[in-house]
Amino acid sequence: MSGGLKPLVTTVFVPAAIFGIGQGAAAPVMALTARELGASVAVSGLIVAVVGLGAVLGDLPAGRIVARFGERRSIIGGSAVGATGVLVCLLAQTPWMLGIGALLTGLANAVWGLARQSYLADAVPIGLRARAMSSFAAMWRLGFFVGPLLGAAVILVVGARGGFMVQFVGVVLSGWLMSRVPDPPRRDPATVRGHATLPSILRRHRKLLATLGAGSLMMGAARASREAVLPLWAAHLGLDAAQVSLVFGVGAAVDLLCSYPAGHFMDRYGRRFIAVPSLLVIGASYLALPFSHDLWSIGIVAVVMGIGNGLGNGVIMTLGADIAPPATRAEFLAAWRLTHDTGMFAGPFGVGALAAVVPLGAAVAAIGGAALLGAGLLFRFIPVYSPWPPLPAAEPDSSPLEKQEA
């Protein structure tokens, strides 16, 4: 890890890994808990999706919260809401109570994610920005990879809801670690920031959000859909749960290995150099998946998919930090995150909906086509980037990209 990022290890990267451990421990038990409470398979799936819905609903107000209270206090508040949501899940007696806890967790995740991204955008030099964002994403994924293993050990002792216990500890501990970090000094006047409203941000940057933001949405959909596509296709081939877990584990390991190099190449050669190949590789893996017919062939596809997904770690966060207007950074990042999070929420739902009316292979191919379309959008609309020299100074309420176009 670059020397310039070492001060962030204990204040950002380790808390991200701990937070990811909690999320990973709870993810497998949400649907199981819903079923234990009497929910149908469809309702159980909906409750799992509510976490993502909470993140989408929380993105826009999260920008205002971070802008008004700063990253540190937002982290503290988000951790309190998240811990409350986990406790509701842990103590839930009905499926709807579990759903409320899931929603609170998703809302807290939106505040958490935005506050951490805004902090890194302010605290890290632009020449190290992509490596910082990719390392942050990789640490979260490492935690999400380790979380189910730790959760399984606790579940053996206390039952299925032990996953929520691990999540509660993860939320509280990571929030405490991040809360020790003071807010970075603001480069923009507080008076300018105070006049920003969410409708004005959306209106002012509507062209940017409709073009580059559409590519961000496609990337979110493509990356999230693999969590639905791989198990569905594995089940279609008749693989058992252990084999599916093996496929996921191999793909996740490759994903992690690609994360930091991707950030290095983004800093060295520009964002487009990594963002476009990431979606091209993911799209190609989706198009190849219907041709897999056994454990080995689906494993190869999972590796290719892991490479594409790992290359994409940190891309959206880095692009957001690049194009955000300094005076309204938090509010703009909230709108920017909404594009990606909407894709993360809509992608798996789209796959499920298509699979209900067309063959599964056609649904998989459709998400592959969406990934290729996203690659085209990113190639067209990512600004030419070089940290040496920096981008021209932008007006207080315009992004560097919009300044260039002007």
Side-chain angles (χ1 to χ4, degrees), residues 1 5-22 112 116 120 132 135-144 146 169-181:
M1 182 172 290
L5 300 183
K6 287 182 180 178
L8 300 174
V9 170
T10 58
T11 57
V12 177
F13 299 143
V14 169
I18 295 172
F19 190 82
I21 287 172
W112 241 92
R116 289 173 295 182
L120 286 175
S135 297
F136 174 77
M139 292 301 290
W140 187 91
R141 287 184 176 278
L142 175 62
F144 202 86
V146 173
V169 174
V171 169
V172 173
L173 181 57
S174 57
W176 174 73
L177 289 172
M178 276 290 288
S179 69
R180 299 180 305 145
V181 183

Side-chain angles (χ1 to χ4, degrees), residues 229-240 244 289-294 298 359-361 364:
V229 164
L230 279 176
L232 288 173
W233 191 256
H236 174 72
L237 296 180
L239 303 184
D240 60 33
V244 174
L289 185 62
F291 296 98
S292 62
H293 54 83
D294 57 18
I298 195 175
L360 179 59
V364 174

